[in-house]
Structure formats: C-alpha cells, structure tokens
Amino acid sequence: MADPQSNFAHCEALVREADPDRYFASLLAPADKRPYLHALYAFNFEVARVRDSVREPMLGEIRLQWWRDALQGEARGDVRANPVAAALDDAIVKFRLPRQSLVDLIDARMFDLYDDPMPSLNDLEGYCGETSSSLIQLSAIMLNDGKDPGTADAAGHAGVAYAIAGLLRAFPIHARQGQLYLPVDILARHGVVRDDIVTGRGGPGLAGALADMRAIARRHLDQVRTLRSTIPSAAEPAFRPLALVEPYLKAMEKRDYDPLNTPVDLPQWRKIWALWRGPF
C-alpha cells in the first residue's frame, strides 16, 4: 500500500498527461489544495476512460460498479491499494464531499459504454450536469475548505458549457466509435440521422446541428457570467477551465474546419494564457 504522498503524486502525473486543461487550471489554485483536485480529476479520468479500456459493455459495467462500491464502502479487497481510489477517499474525508455526487457521476457514465444515441437536449444537459458540472461544484467545495460555496447554479451552467465544447472537440473520435452525443432532436431538426455521422458521410445538415450546439454552449457560458457575483474568490479556480470554451468554439468556426476529421486543440501557450486571464 503506497503512502498518501505517493498516491497524490500518481494522480497528479495522470491528470497532467490525460487531462491537461484541468491540470493547467489546477496550478492556479492554492498549492495545498492541488493534490486533492488532482485526486478528483484522476478519478474522473479513470471513470471516463472505462469504455476504451474494456472489450465489451458488460466488463465496463463491472468496472464502474467497482468504483461505485468503493465510494459506498462495499468494494471487495483493499480499495486503498488503488492510488486514485485512496487519494480520492482522503479528499472526500478532508473536505466532507458528498459521495452521492460521485456515485451519480459514475451512473451518468454508464451511457458511455453503449452506442445508444442521446435522445434530447434535455438528456444531454442532464448528462453534462452529472459529470462536468459535478466536478466543478466538488472542486469549488474543496477550494472553499469543505463549505458550500453557493456555486451550484453557476457550476451547473459552467459544466454544461465546458462539456459540450469537449464533446464537440471529440466529435470525430466518437463518430468513428459509433457514439452519438449530439441530441437526436437537434439532429432531426436539421435532417441528420445517426448513419450520416457514424459512416462519415456528414451531409449539409450536420453543420447546422453543430452550430446549434455551439450556440447552446455559449448560452450556458453567458449564464455563468450573469452568476459571477455568486462565485466567491476562493472557489474561482474551479471555474478556470471555462476560459477555454470560447477559444475552442471559435476554432470550430474556421473555414477549413471539418467536424468529422479535424481535431480541435490549442497550442499549450494559448491555453495557459487563457487560463491565467480567467474565464470571465
């Protein structure tokens, strides 16, 4: 069993490699809070990558169940032997984090294991809320020394904006895997069907559907700005990743952007600059 310092170092290395946006944002948080943020983000990565690490959905369900049991104290074996689980548990105890929020995040990730389409925009916003918004709110609680920072509404909108931008960035990857996060109701409005996407055909309606999604992300971004006064300065670093949403969306509006083949990213220096300047 590794000591806590080694567990946190493992989480930091994992986040730095797998989730650089949140890693760079975490460097703007107080040094004593960073290890716990890294534990939370490492957990999120471990759960998010389950589909890519298993051969079939049932095995993914088993892995997600292990995490669910670990959070609820029902896992078999020594949970503390897993460095991410051990570091996360330390963070939960230190900051009195609500375990149910983490269980809800795991439950939402069940959607990732299958190729079912996202039924509606309401379903997508719910998915983003249980995953991305939850991470922001839990981070804000940590940064506020375990006390409710009153940021639930702001975190809700921030998480949806950030998650939609991320899903649009990953659109080519998801399309090749047969996954569809674009809501069926929005696709139908533009005459797009699932096969147009997963076969790589695209079609004229796809550009309109993606434009609608960018507009929805911006709408949530605007809502966060109206709620800025509800975010205490201590919790502000939890919202830093939001600074990357608009640059990502703008990159998708360039003339040469091909949503089925063009990966969307920013140079590291631009990310760091945007994060340093802040999300508002």
Side-chain angles (χ1 to χ4, degrees), residues 62-71 75-76 79 82 85:
I62 292 171
R63 189 161 297 186
L64 290 179
Q65 184 61 49
W66 184 90
W67 279 105
R68 194 181 290 110
D69 291 345
L71 286 166
R76 296 179 180 179
V79 174
N82 181 304

Side-chain angles (χ1 to χ4, degrees), residues 41-77:
Y41 300 154
F43 158 75
N44 176 65
F45 171 69
E46 290 287 1
V47 174
R49 72 169 176 174
V50 165
R51 173 176 171 132
D52 294 332
S53 62
V54 298
R55 296 188 303 275
E56 56 186 71
M58 185 56 66
L59 295 175
E61 290 199 26
I62 292 171
R63 189 161 297 186
L64 290 179
Q65 184 61 49
W66 184 90
W67 279 105
R68 194 181 290 110
D69 291 345
L71 286 166
Q72 297 173 330
E74 299 173 2
R76 296 179 180 179

Side-chain angles (χ1 to χ4, degrees), residues 125-137:
E125 290 174 328
Y127 170 88
C128 295
E130 298 289 3
T131 54
S132 180
S133 300
S134 180
L135 278 187
I136 294 173
Q137 178 65 1

Side-chain angles (χ1 to χ4, degrees), residues 193-202:
V193 296
R194 180 180 183 276
D195 285 352
D196 292 335
I197 295 173
V198 299
T199 60
R201 287 196 302 267

Side-chain angles (χ1 to χ4, degrees), residues 3-275:
D3 63 89
Q5 187 173 356
S6 296
N7 293 333
F8 286 121
H10 174 85
C11 291
E12 179 180 2
L14 186 62
V15 175
R16 183 171 61 244
E17 175 66 25
D19 193 352
D21 291 3
R22 288 193 177 95
Y23 174 75
F24 290 133
S26 74
L27 299 182
L28 298 167
D32 63 325
K33 301 296 199 313
R34 291 175 204 161
Y36 301 100
L37 292 173
H38 295 153
L40 178 63
Y41 300 154
F43 158 75
N44 176 65
F45 171 69
E46 290 287 1
V47 174
R49 72 169 176 174
V50 165
R51 173 176 171 132
D52 294 332
S53 62
V54 298
R55 296 188 303 275
E56 56 186 71
M58 185 56 66
L59 295 175
E61 290 199 26
I62 292 171
R63 189 161 297 186
L64 290 179
Q65 184 61 49
W66 184 90
W67 279 105
R68 194 181 290 110
D69 291 345
L71 286 166
Q72 297 173 330
E74 299 173 2
R76 296 179 180 179
D78 191 354
V79 174
R80 301 289 301 185
N82 181 304
V84 176
L88 178 65
D89 189 63
D90 288 342
I92 291 171
V93 172
K94 181 175 178 64
F95 296 104
R96 303 179 297 280
L97 300 180
R99 291 178 184 268
Q100 188 58 47
S101 295
L102 296 166
V103 172
D104 292 343
L105 185 153
I106 293 170
D107 290 343
R109 287 291 182 183
M110 289 286 289
F111 179 86
D112 301 349
L113 302 179
Y114 298 90
D115 294 337
D116 299 332
M118 187 66 70
S120 68
L121 175 59
N122 186 60
D123 290 304
L124 175 63
E125 290 174 328
Y127 170 88
C128 295
E130 298 289 3
T131 54
S132 180
S133 300
S134 180
L135 278 187
I136 294 173
Q137 178 65 1
L138 291 169
S139 299
I141 293 173
M142 286 183 182
L143 292 164
N144 204 44
D145 292 321
K147 300 184 287 290
D148 182 0
T151 55
D153 287 347
H157 289 291
V160 175
Y162 186 76
I164 288 177
L167 291 172
L168 293 177
R169 289 179 64 207
F171 185 73
I173 298 171
H174 292 151
R176 287 193 292 270
Q177 294 176 338
Q179 289 180 288
L180 191 60
Y181 288 91
L182 265 63
V184 172
D185 55 353
I186 289 180
L187 292 175
R189 187 188 308 158
H190 294 274
V192 182
V193 296
R194 180 180 183 276
D195 285 352
D196 292 335
I197 295 173
V198 299
T199 60
R201 287 196 302 267
L206 181 58
L210 293 173
D212 280 1
M213 294 306 300
R214 292 193 296 271
I216 291 165
R218 286 186 169 112
R219 188 165 70 229
H220 284 282
L221 200 57
D222 288 340
Q223 285 295 315
V224 182
R225 293 188 180 111
T226 67
L227 293 166
R228 181 178 181 179
S229 63
T230 69
I231 303 173
S233 58
E236 194 272 340
F239 291 80
R240 287 277 173 163
L242 209 61
L244 299 174
V245 171
E246 187 60 40
Y248 283 141
L249 297 179
K250 286 182 177 178
M252 298 173 202
E253 293 169 340
K254 293 182 178 178
R255 240 177 232 185
D256 59 348
Y257 173 61
D258 178 354
L260 289 168
N261 296 290
T262 304
V264 174
D265 206 352
L266 300 170
Q268 181 173 307
W269 69 267
R270 280 197 62 193
K271 291 184 181 184
I272 295 173
W273 173 249
L275 291 166

